Amino acid sequence: MDRYATDGYGPPVSTLEAIDLAGQVGDLSVVDLTFPFDPPDLPLDDVKTALKRNGLRAIAVTPEIYTRRFVRGAFTNPDPQVRRQAVELVSRGVETARELDCDYVKSSSTPCAMRAGRVSGSLTSSPSGRTRSRRPRRASA
């Protein structure tokens, strides 16, 4: 198994099941949700309800641009259709993160993040929708 074979790490659980399991972890207050949800047509209101029921907040959304479909890259894939799918997936993930009032959207397994109007990594998304590269901020002591 590798990072592109995410179906090999254990039995699959739905997004709502994952939130309910996270709710059983003591002192956990935030979660990072993979996107798209499982099942893909899961209403956002159901996710919000599950988070509230478990006393959790979504701190981030991570679009799944690390699956087998993107094994040759997402934004850098040589196939223009795959690159377009990556952009569409991340764009939907950003909108979902805004709806959940997340702090950021994680991009793959790299140390970059996109935040609506705030800097927190090598990619920043402004309210106008423009994206630009930027060095990550260092935490203050």
Side-chain angles (χ1 to χ4, degrees):
M1 295 295 132
D2 61 27
R3 68 187 180 129
Y4 300 105
T6 57
D7 54 351
Y9 293 111
V13 295
S14 72
T15 298
L16 298 181
E17 290 170 318
I19 293 169
D20 288 337
L21 288 170
Q24 296 173 26
V25 176
D27 295 329
L28 187 66
S29 60
V30 295
V31 292
D32 178 338
L33 299 174
T34 57
F35 185 83
F37 299 134
D38 181 13
D41 60 348
L42 178 65
L44 190 56
D45 284 341
D46 290 0
V47 174
K48 290 178 180 180
T49 299
L51 289 166
K52 186 174 183 174
R53 174 177 67 241
N54 286 284
L56 298 170
R57 181 176 80 83
I59 194 169
V61 165
T62 301
E64 289 187 311
I65 57 171
Y66 48 81
T67 58
R68 287 181 194 259
R69 177 174 35 162
F70 301 111
V71 71
R72 296 183 66 202
F75 302 119
T76 59
N77 195 293
D79 183 337
Q81 183 176 359
V82 174
R83 289 193 310 268
R84 193 169 24 262
Q85 290 171 349
V87 169
E88 289 170 5
L89 177 61
V90 171
S91 295
R92 289 188 356 251
V94 168
E95 286 305 314
T96 299
R98 284 185 181 134
E99 289 290 322
L100 291 171
D101 198 28
C102 293
D103 292 346
Y104 60 96
V105 173
K106 249 184 358 187
S107 176
S108 188
S109 59
T110 60
C112 64
M114 289 191 285
R115 286 165 73 123
R118 297 180 294 250
V119 175
S120 175
S122 59
L123 291 177
T124 306
S125 179
S126 70
S128 67
R130 294 192 189 116
T131 303
R132 60 190 170 99
S133 291
R134 183 134 186 200
R135 287 187 177 187
R137 283 187 183 172
R138 294 187 188 261
S140 5

